[in-house]
């Protein structure tokens, strides 16, 4: 079962209340209490003195990292597939249950390499509701991105719409397992096989999301993870391509190092996509903390689920709490008709609480340059993308965020919704420079 389609049983935690019921807080306590109605936008003290960020990097074991850096300095092997990069690749392949992992300097270059190694050209089908890197990885290689709509329940490509988007120029499908959600891959692989297409998965968000991903080597040709600093397990900057295709892996190993297959022999068009030893030192240290980080994120996720459940019009993208998942992204959708206040206004009001929620991914790729100018009509076939992109906000998570912080944060969101008209009026007159550009 897809993780995104499974709901957490939150019945009994808190009763739902109606949109006009301003007597309950997110935590079920009476909102009549002054504490639960406090809002910085209305003149109260902010909820947090230090900013709560979506992407604050985790530092798991500083000493282990520094020891590895000392080892690296002593060895004078700083890059070019040194021992730490090799160890990192072995661990990534083991954890993701693939035969091969090729470490890269970041996931964007990993995607570019995989797109090229898989022989994609002409047109490739890709979602627009993703980080811009997915699309750039195609266009920078002269491939036309064919933006395809998503399933609003999973935020991943809708296989039926993919089928309809195939033309004689199509050479591949670039799916995205957004937020660690694996959904529809088996169907997408079948479509790819039926039409002789390459199927690559951008899994920048999904390292460690194993249960939902099972048997992926049969479901796509290659998959790319990100180990950027903002990911729950990171290598400062980094990425990895995994595959169980021996021949593809061999090609990628050459391509990541300029195409060199000997001291002075180049076999493929390659690039410098290598991961450094310093990155691998952090990557290995991060991987050692996997269970601790995932457990922390899971507890935070459950705390969010409990705190957001009673707020009318706020829906948390749920996942099976018992699946092997990194629980990194806390994705909430705002139904403005029910809340009476828009996603943008909620995100703006949270900035004054020192909470930097993000509007991932707004605008979606087809509304950003150069795609917006190149393909001005792309939005016509993307109604779900446009609607979801207007609703989503991503909330802070990671080792720097604790469950009591989340209790406070969700009660502030409850107060923003309960006091929507006041908040809106205050935002209209507010000139605080901390407000985002999009604030009205
Ligand atoms: N495909 C998908 C689906 C992706 O989401 C991504 C990246 C990629 C491909 C490409 O992967 P990489 O090539 O990056 O490996 C961030 C990340 O930079 C990006 O990696 C990530 N997705 C994306 C979802 O988020 P920004 O520009 O929105 O976030 P940024 O850099 O403003 O950081 C977020 C917050 O974290 C900020 O409030 C500041 C804080 N932060 C960030 C960094 C880097 C820190 O406190 N310390 C730091 O060192 O893109």
């Amino acid at each position: 079962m897809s993780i995104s389609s499974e709901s957490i049983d939150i019945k009994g935690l808190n009763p739902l209340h109606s949109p006009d019921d301003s007597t309950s807080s997110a935590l079920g306590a009476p909102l009549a209490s002054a504490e639960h109605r406090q809002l910085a936008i209305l003149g109260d003290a902010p909820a947090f003195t230090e900013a709560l960020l979506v992407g604050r990097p985790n530092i798991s074991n500083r000493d282990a990292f520094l020891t590895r850096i000392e080892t690296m300095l002593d060895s004078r092997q700083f890059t070019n597939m040194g021992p730490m990069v090799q160890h990192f690749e072995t661990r990534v392949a083991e954890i993701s249950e693939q035969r091969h992992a090729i470490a890269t300097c970041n996931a964007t270059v990993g995607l570019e390499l995989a797109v090229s190694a898989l022989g994609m050209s002409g047109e490739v089908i890709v979602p627009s509701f993703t980080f811009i890197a997915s699309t750039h990885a195609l266009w920078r290689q002269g491939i036309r991105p064919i933006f395809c709509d998503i399933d609003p329940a999973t935020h991943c490509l809708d296989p039926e719409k993919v089928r309809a988007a195939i033309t004689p120029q199509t050479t591949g499908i670039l799916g995205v397992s957004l937020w660690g959600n694996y959904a529809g891959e088996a169907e997408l692989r079948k479509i790819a096989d039926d039409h002789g297409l390459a199927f690559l998965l951008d899994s920048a968000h999904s390292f460690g999301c194993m249960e939902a991903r099972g048997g992926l080597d049969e479901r796509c040709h290659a998959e790319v993870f990100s180990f950027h600093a903002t990911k729950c397990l990171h290598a400062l900057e980094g990425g990895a391509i995994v595959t169980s295709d021996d021949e593809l892996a061999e090609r990628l190993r050459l391509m990541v190092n300029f195409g060199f297959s000997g001291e002075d022999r180049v076999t493929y068009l390659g690039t410098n996509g290598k991961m450094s030893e310093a990155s691998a030192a952090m990557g290995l240290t991060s991987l050692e903390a996997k269970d601790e980080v995932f457990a922390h994120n899971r507890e935070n996720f459950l705390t969010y689920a409990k705190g957001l459940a009673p707020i009318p019009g706020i829906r948390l993208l749920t996942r099976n709490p018992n699946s092997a998942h990194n629980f990194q992204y806390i994705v909430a959708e705002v139904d403005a008709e029910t809340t009476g206040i828009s996603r943008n206004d909620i995100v703006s009001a949270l900035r004054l609480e020192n909470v930097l929620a993000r509007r991932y991914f707004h605008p979606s790729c087809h509304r950003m340059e150069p795609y917006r100018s190149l393909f001005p009509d792309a939005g016509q076939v993307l109604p779900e993308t446009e609607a979801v992109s207007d609703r989503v906000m991503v909330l802070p998570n990671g080792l720097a965020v604790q469950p009591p912080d989340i209790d406070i944060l969700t009660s502030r969101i409850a107060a923003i919704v309960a006091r929507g008209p006041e908040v809106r009026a205050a935002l209209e007159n507010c000139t605080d420079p901390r407000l985002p550009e999009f604030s009205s």
Side-chain angles (χ1 to χ4, degrees), residues 18 22 26 35 68 140 147 192 245 267 367:
S18 62
S22 56
E35 193 187 329
R68 286 192 165 102
R140 280 173 52 78
F147 293 116
D245 179 331
T267 319
R367 290 192 172 275

Side-chain angles (χ1 to χ4, degrees), residues 45-331:
F48 302 98
T49 48
E50 273 186 43
L52 253 62
L53 305 174
V54 168
R56 192 173 162 90
N58 291 331
I59 304 174
S60 47
N61 185 338
R62 187 183 287 253
D63 289 342
F65 172 62
L66 293 175
T67 301
R68 286 192 165 102
I69 292 295
E70 293 282 2
T71 306
M72 178 197 80
L73 292 175
D74 291 343
S75 75
R76 297 287 199 280
Q77 177 81 40
F78 297 164
T79 185
N80 289 10
M81 291 79 73
M84 288 195 217
V85 165
Q86 289 177 36
H87 188 189
F88 179 75
E89 290 180 336
T90 302
R91 290 295 296 130
V92 170
E94 282 167 3
I95 294 169
S96 57
E97 295 176 6
Q98 297 282 300
R99 274 212 296 281
H100 308 279
I102 295 94
T104 56
C105 51
N106 55 53
T108 306
V109 168
L111 284 168
E112 289 190 13
L113 284 165
V115 161
S116 168
L118 284 165
M120 291 181 175
S121 63
E123 293 181 355
V124 169
I125 296 168
V126 65
S128 174
F129 188 62
T130 177
F131 190 59
I132 196 71
S134 317
T135 311
H136 283 346
L138 298 172
W139 187 247
R140 280 173 52 78
Q141 296 183 82
I143 297 171
R144 179 178 176 153
I146 301 298
F147 293 116
C148 185
D149 216 357
I150 51 165
D151 177 343
T154 66
H155 295 184
C156 296
L157 278 176
D158 179 334
E160 276 318 303
K161 292 182 179 153
V162 169
R163 207 184 289 276
I166 293 172
T167 74
Q169 283 71 46
T170 309
T171 61
I173 302 168
L174 174 49
V176 182
S177 58
L178 210 66
W179 324 128
N181 279 354
Y182 288 94
E185 282 78 23
E187 251 178 292
L188 291 174
R189 175 65 193 256
K190 183 165 181 337
I191 295 169
D193 286 349
D194 288 350
H195 292 83
L197 308 176
F199 180 27
L200 173 63
L201 210 48
D202 174 347
S203 291
H205 299 179
S206 311
F207 189 71
C209 301
M210 288 307 297
E211 204 168 284
R213 165 186 183 280
L216 207 78
D217 47 341
E218 288 153 27
R219 297 204 234 156
C220 72
H221 295 110
E223 183 177 12
V224 179
F225 299 117
S226 172
F227 293 96
H228 181 260
T230 53
K231 300 292 178 286
C232 58
L233 303 180
H234 69 90
L236 308 173
E237 282 271 9
I241 312 165
V242 296
T243 180
S244 284
D245 179 331
D246 299 340
E247 199 272 326
L248 180 66
E250 197 184 321
R251 209 175 324 148
L252 284 164
R253 283 202 184 288
L254 301 178
M255 290 173 73
V256 78
N257 185 29
F258 308 100
F260 274 115
S261 57
E263 187 178 314
D264 43 21
R265 188 174 61 244
V266 170
T267 319
Y268 286 105
L269 173 63
T271 187
N272 183 357
K274 300 183 298 292
M275 176 181 274
S276 74
E277 287 290 279
S279 278
M282 180 54 97
L284 285 167
T285 309
S286 260
L287 294 185
E288 283 164 0
K290 176 168 98 45
D291 293 347
E292 174 206 334
V293 171
F294 288 11
H296 181 94
N297 281 354
R298 177 181 176 278
E299 194 188 349
N300 280 353
F301 171 75
L302 291 171
T303 311
Y304 270 113
K306 188 176 166 193
L308 294 175
I311 307 175
I314 306 278
R315 168 186 172 257
L316 182 68
L317 194 67
T318 56
R319 42 185 57 112
N320 178 355
N322 300 318
S323 74
H325 204 284
N326 60 38
F327 293 98
Q328 180 187 350
Y329 286 101
I330 306 294
V331 183

